[in-house]
Every structure is written in C-alpha cells, then in structure tokens.
Amino acid sequence: MAFNNRVLTTTQDKIMPSVVDAILKSNVFLTRMLAKTKKWSGETLKFPLKYQKGVGGSSFSGYDLLSTAASDTRINLTFDFKSYSTPIALPLTELTVNAASETKVIDLAAVEAKSKAEDMADDIGTIFYADGTGNNGKDFLGLSAIVDDGTNAATYGGLTRAAFPVLNSTVTASGGTLTLAKMETMHNAITDGSQQPTMIDTTPTIFGLYATLLTPQERIYKTEPIMKGGAAGGTGFNTLYFKGIPVIADRKCTSQTMYFLNEDYLNFYAAPLEGTTPIKYKAVDIRGNDYSDVMGLGFTWSDFIKPVNQAALVAHVYLAGELISENPGRHGKLTGITTV
C-alpha cells in the first residue's frame, strides 16, 4: 500500500532484528563430520593399513620343522592437509552508519561475519561430496573419491587401488530402481560382525523413495543427533531407519546415490592455522538454515585487519585439514537410483 507524505514524514520503517536465510539448504554430512573433528598433527598423517594376511601357520607333530618366514602385511596411507578460506570485507563508511546506537537494529560486522562463515560451510559441504580434484587438487577430499572402486579416484592416500584392492569401496549400480533387497545386499557386503554402517546418506528424492518401501508400521520418523552417538536434544535430523541405521536426507548428496557409511572410519582431521582464532559464536541473528552454531567445527578466523590503502576492515575465515577414511572398504554406495 502506498502512503502519502503525512505518513512518510511521521513514521519510521521497522527492520526486524534477525535475518531470514532463504538460500542455504541442508548440509547434513558436513555438519555431522565437523561436529566430531579430530586434531591434525605433523606434516602428514599416516595410517598403517593391513592389506594382506601374513604367512600362514600350520599344524605340526613331533620334530617337524616350523616356519620362520617373516610377513610384510602393512603399508601407510598418507594424507596432506588442505586449506579453504572466505573473505569478510566491510567499508568503514558502512560500519560508521551502522554504529549509531539509536538506529542500529542488527550489528553489521557480526551478522556479516556469521553469514560469510555459513556461506563457506555451504560451499565446503558441496566439496565433501566431490573427488578432491577441484581447484587443481587443492579441494578437500570428498565422498566421490573416498567411496569409490577406482572409477573416480584411481589413487587414494598415495596408493593405487589397482595395486591395493582393499582400498576399494563396494559400488553397485542399482539399474534405476531402489529395493530393500539391494539395500540388504549392500549392507551385507560391507558388514562383518559389529563392523557395520552407522549412517545411510542420500538425497531427499531417494529418501522419499525409501519411505515408500516401508510399511506404515515401519515408517517411523525419528530425530537423529547431529553428532554420532550424541544426545539428540532439541536439534538433529529427521530420519528413517534401515536395520537400525539412520537414513538421512542431504540436499548436497550426489544425485541418484545412496551412501552406506561407517563413521568409525570417516573423520575430518582439523588443522587450525597458526595465528588464527577459533570461531565461538552462535548465529542468533540469522534464521532458516542448519548453521546456527559453528562453534567447535574447526573454523577459525583472522580477526579484522585494516588494509593500508583502504578505509575498510577485512578478515578471513579458515578451515584446514582433510576428510579421511582409513578404511574405504567399510563404505559402499548404490548409484543410478531413479525409482522404486
């Protein structure tokens, strides 16, 4: 409705004291990985991998000669850490206008820092599903490289999958359809005793397809905690279950793909950059996404810096480390899913 000057000259506009995010979508896998970061140490991380059985023993009797053959069964997986940054830049003129206490509704510097950190998390969420070759190999490793049989990533952890087939994940083309039998076969392929998937990660579309395979009695939605093994509390992800394993929908997930992941062998090792400060804020000024709390997720920032030749403040948000699975054979994926 258009008002005349009687109203426009006597009434102030009202700005609501929070920003509603209408662009960032779900980023479940990244949030779950970064909620349980482990600390990076050293120049590279090396994981001893047992890739074959040792020399076998045998039965014997009396004075039979016993084998003294030595076994060489292990080799190191090696990983270097990667780094990612996003800038925060604000002119002093804008900060000056925003600083007036009688007119300020939202702190410009605070909300911009929080918003850019959330944008960065969203970008990295996409990278976590890729193969690590982006930006000339500077991107973090993603599920496309980790959960693979050599099709996307012939080399993993410095070793070729052709020479060390234990590095191959189970990759099965679904032939277009999702069935409980195919999910059962995948589960069995990567399960041994207590070693089994802890999360099934897929797209919202496939999540809906899976729901149609369940009887009404089985179609029970529960809240899965952000962190594996953590208390759900008031936050978490809406899930269904398969053989007691949470099935989670993530809009970042590779299309037509259902991942079966064992999070005991999948971690982000964070390497906080020297001279930076851990991010310790909650995005209370921003509503509408899954990034309300970026504390403890490995993000650091440079604090604001004054450029020598500009009337502005500039800062950088950082995430350094690597997404690593020391046992890719404990993961699998169904591909090409379009229907049931």
Side-chain angles (χ1 to χ4, degrees):
M1 180 178 180
F3 291 101
N4 57 37
N5 287 332
R6 289 192 303 276
V7 175
L8 297 179
T9 57
T10 58
T11 307
Q12 175 71 313
D13 291 336
K14 172 68 173 179
I15 299 178
M16 301 307 294
S18 64
V19 176
V20 176
D21 184 354
I23 187 65
L24 302 183
K25 306 300 182 184
S26 67
N27 202 350
V28 177
F29 178 65
L30 174 132
T31 306
R32 195 150 161 119
M33 287 296 101
L34 296 190
K36 66 181 189 82
T37 56
K38 294 187 175 182
K39 185 179 180 180
W40 186 284
S41 181
E43 177 189 2
T44 61
L45 283 186
K46 294 183 178 180
F47 296 87
L49 174 73
K50 182 176 180 178
Y51 67 94
Q52 63 182 6
K53 291 177 65 174
V55 175
S58 65
S59 57
F60 72 96
S61 176
Y63 289 103
D64 288 351
L65 293 178
L66 305 181
S67 173
T68 58
S71 297
D72 189 359
T73 63
R74 294 178 298 278
I75 195 167
N76 285 329
L77 286 170
T78 60
F79 299 91
D80 298 318
F81 78 78
K82 313 282 187 62
S83 304
Y84 194 96
S85 172
T86 195
I88 306 168
L90 291 166
L92 295 184
T93 51
E94 293 182 5
L95 291 170
T96 300
V97 172
N98 179 251
S101 59
E102 66 272 16
T103 56
K104 179 168 67 174
V105 178
I106 300 173
D107 187 287
L108 175 59
V111 76
E112 188 67 14
K114 295 167 186 175
S115 179
K116 291 304 294 286
E118 292 179 358
D119 291 347
M120 176 175 161
D122 190 73
D123 292 339
I124 296 173
T126 300
I127 291 173
F128 272 16
Y129 281 100
D131 60 7
T133 61
N135 194 20
N136 296 315
K138 297 176 185 178
D139 281 356
F140 299 118
L141 288 172
L143 291 182
S144 183
I146 294 171
V147 188
D148 188 53
D149 58 1
T151 301
N152 299 316
T155 300
Y156 183 74
L159 304 176
T160 64
R161 283 183 154 117
F164 298 93
V166 293
L167 295 175
N168 288 329
S169 305
T170 301
V171 180
T172 303
S174 74
T177 59
L178 177 69
T179 67
L180 294 177
K182 291 175 182 177
M183 294 177 67
E184 182 77 33
T185 299
M186 175 59 69
H187 177 272
N188 290 342
I190 59 176
T191 296
D192 290 285
S194 63
Q195 302 293 317
Q196 62 175 328
T198 60
M199 177 175 70
I200 298 174
D201 182 26
T202 192
T203 68
T205 298
I206 298 175
F207 182 86
L209 293 175
Y210 172 64
T212 66
L213 297 176
L214 303 178
T215 65
Q217 296 90 332
E218 296 171 320
R219 202 175 302 139
I220 300 174
Y221 294 88
K222 295 183 180 180
T223 299
E224 177 69 13
I226 290 174
M227 184 174 179
K228 178 187 173 237
T235 60
F237 310 117
N238 198 30
T239 67
L240 292 168
Y241 282 80
F242 175 77
K243 297 177 74 68
I245 304 166
V247 182
I248 298 174
D250 188 347
R251 292 190 185 278
K252 297 286 185 182
C253 185
T254 308
S255 64
Q256 301 182 6
T257 303
M258 176 178 275
Y259 287 99
F260 290 68
L261 305 174
N262 187 328
E263 296 164 283
D264 293 334
Y265 303 103
L266 189 60
N267 295 281
F268 187 84
Y269 287 81
L273 297 181
E274 189 68 22
T276 64
T277 304
I279 290 179
K280 296 181 179 180
Y281 56 67
K282 291 179 179 287
V284 295
D285 298 325
I286 304 175
R287 300 180 292 121
N289 61 45
D290 285 340
Y291 306 99
S292 61
D293 186 353
V294 296
M295 295 190 301
L297 300 187
F299 290 95
T300 63
W301 78 310
S302 64
D303 211 333
F304 282 111
I305 304 166
K306 292 182 179 179
V308 296
N309 59 348
Q310 289 178 306
L313 292 179
V314 177
H316 291 276
V317 180
Y318 304 105
L319 182 68
E322 185 61 290
L323 181 65
I324 295 172
S325 175
E326 60 266 44
N327 192 355
R330 287 298 177 190
H331 315 302
K333 63 182 176 183
L334 293 171
T335 64
I337 300 170
T338 58
T339 188
V340 292

